[in-house]
Amino acid sequence: MPIQVLSNDLASRIAAGEVIERPASVVKELVENSLDAGSTRVDVHIVGGGAQSITVVDNGDGIPADELSVAFERFATSKIDESSDLIAIGTLGFRGEALPSISSVARVEAISRHRDSDAGARYLVDFGKTSPVEPAGAPQGTRIEVAGLFKNVPARLKFLGSAGRELSRIQSMLASLALIYPHVAFSLNSDGRERMRTIGSGKLVDAVLGVYGAKVAEQMLEIKLDDSAAFSVDGLVSSPSLNRSNRTYITISVNGRWIRSRRLSYAIEQAYHGFLPERRFPIAVARICTPLDDVDANVHPAKAEVRFLREDLVYSVVQRAVRGILSASAPVHELGAGRASGSAGLLRTPRLANDGSIPRGFGGDISGSSTVNSGFSKWPDPSIIAEQSRLTEEMDGADYGGTSQSNTPKETLPVLRVIGQAHETYILAEGPDGVYLVDQHAAHERVMFERIRHRFDQNSSESQPLLEPVTVDLAPGVMITVQEHLDDLNQVGWGVEEFGMNSLIVRSVPASLATRASGDGAGQVFVRVLDELREGGTGETWRNRMVATIACHSSVRAGQILSMEECKDLIRQLEKTERPNTCPHGRPTIVQLAINDLEREFKRR
Ligand code: ADP
Ligand code: MG
């Protein structure tokens, strides 16, 4: 075939494929238009998961009758003009692609009345075929109905999910917009049933109530707007007692644009480090404001991602804001707070077993925490604890500045008197308000984590050459991540060298590992570090994970007998940490048997 320019019709159907992937994308484009038009009400009606019809009604500015047909032409927009540099874009739309794209793959009817006009107009585009604009009675605003989506693109139609599945996509998308625009009243109706409604009061907590319900709304903490910096963030985040098993409850916007950003999600998750158990995620709404020319919104076909000029700065502003509110709000991990509120936080007592959860160490599976890893079974020698205690002594009073946790208040342990060791796993101690059990591995992990992190930040990590360097094989693609993070790996003490396409020679290891780890062991830990890296995360997130993995393998394990002195040393070291109540993975290091509960159990009162 000779080269020829495609017809307008075919070209817009191709373009539509980029913008309009499924019913939820239609809803997103239409609702974004409503928001750009300054609407305070947006009502969405869905039939058959959106494949049958989608109707969006708003009370915005409306479209003048003489512009109605132009709105459906490709690259027709009222939001930018030739003078725009495509950098500082303040509206959600700007490409003039949505209406022509949608109307090339569906039957679209638009009825609109502009705010300066007494009469409305109606315009129909039937799978690309236009009819003349005609007068129509209408309230101010715009009503757009999209029917028979993808009927002329069978390939697309085939890839749609069930009506329920598509509806749930629409709902979660609309929920995000409702959370980002609390001053707009949203409603979602599907096949005659109301699915969601927000009142548009302007209060974020009301939007959360409309989207997630009252129970969630009650437990949200407010991120205070800090606009001292060039970037600001406000929003709501869940208190740690409220969490979810996946990260779909994290909503992020930049300058009013809903975006998906793995990195910023991680910034928020990372702020919960130590507050949430592993693999649990917060509910969060974070609205970021940046100078318009600091973001490039024109990098993704569906505008779902943006590019930041100063990404690291945004990342840290978000993380600091979330971390700040969590620390300020008496986290459940703090012993005092947990006790005062009587919450079922990490302070487990036999009484709490009534709710079905068996406190660890009381009839529970005590071997639970001893399955840490393999390859280090004879390690470490208990004497290492005494040695490390001396190190801690030297660092006494050191400020762990520079770590991501430096600006959070220090947690404190109660004064503990060690009684002994139980099940070769728990250190038993007595304190002012009862009896305490400390998980020796978790506690040592915390100590090692902060120490390794501190040294890392001071750039004073010690590296220990291996007597016999080991070769490790990497999964395909992992080499690139090694190269990406080589500086961090070196800084913590790893010395590695490429050896062929997918293998490495490990020549030296972080000193905390070196004393005991055999060559193979060190290689294993290295591979684990890389696995953690592959799970995603960059910068601080990844650094903390790396350090946590090293700490885990540098720590005393469950099942290891400790002398009285070693137990005391470990407790003393734990007392000096910033966050003694949780291990770096967020599991508790200490549980308490409250004296009151003991008295009650023994019927002393
Ligand atoms: P874009 O949003 O990128 O400008 P669209 O194809 O989505 O492109 O819309 C084209 C134009 O139609 C918009 O620029 C706007 O002027 C007008 N328009 C679309 N929807 C609405 C609406 N709900 N209210 C007012 N104007 C609208
Ligand atoms: Mg648009």
Side-chain angles (χ1 to χ4, degrees), residues 177-191:
L177 291 177
L179 291 169
I180 295 165
Y181 287 87
H183 61 280
V184 178
F186 286 88
S187 76
L188 173 64
N189 239 271
S190 158
D191 304 294

Side-chain angles (χ1 to χ4, degrees), residues 342-475:
S343 78
L346 292 161
L347 278 186
R348 305 281 176 81
T349 70
R351 312 229 98 233
L352 295 176
N354 293 345
D355 66 15
S357 68
I358 301 169
R360 283 169 54 182
F362 290 92
D365 175 12
I366 56 145
S367 67
S369 60
S370 62
T371 55
V372 179
N373 73 338
S374 56
F376 287 90
S377 47
K378 298 192 302 297
W379 184 89
D381 184 314
S383 69
I384 196 163
I385 295 178
E387 194 250 314
Q388 280 157 357
S389 172
R390 269 200 313 282
L391 285 176
T392 312
E393 235 53 85
E394 280 166 28
M395 287 167 48
D396 205 6
D399 175 21
Y400 286 87
T403 74
S404 59
Q405 298 159 352
S406 60
N407 45 15
T408 62
K410 198 174 183 317
E411 291 174 353
T412 45
L413 281 185
V415 180
L416 296 177
R417 187 181 70 82
V418 173
I419 299 167
Q421 191 192 24
H423 291 274
E424 295 158 11
T425 301
Y426 306 105
I427 297 169
L428 208 57
E430 171 195 61
D433 292 310
V435 177
Y436 297 78
L437 287 150
V438 174
D439 181 312
Q440 65 191 37
H441 175 71
H444 200 203
E445 250 186 325
R446 163 54 62 190
V447 170
M448 293 308 290
F449 174 82
E450 292 194 5
R451 177 170 316 146
I452 297 168
R453 182 68 225 217
H454 176 76
R455 295 224 160 150
F456 180 91
D457 291 337
Q458 304 289 309
N459 208 351
S460 62
S461 303
E462 283 171 24
S463 178
Q464 177 83 40
L466 294 177
L467 282 178
E468 275 185 54
V470 287
T471 310
V472 292
D473 293 322
L474 304 177

Side-chain angles (χ1 to χ4, degrees), residues 157-171:
L157 208 52
K158 223 170 47 196
F159 281 101
L160 292 192
S162 66
R165 184 87 195 86
E166 295 301 331
L167 175 64
S168 98
R169 286 195 167 109
I170 291 169
Q171 184 161 350

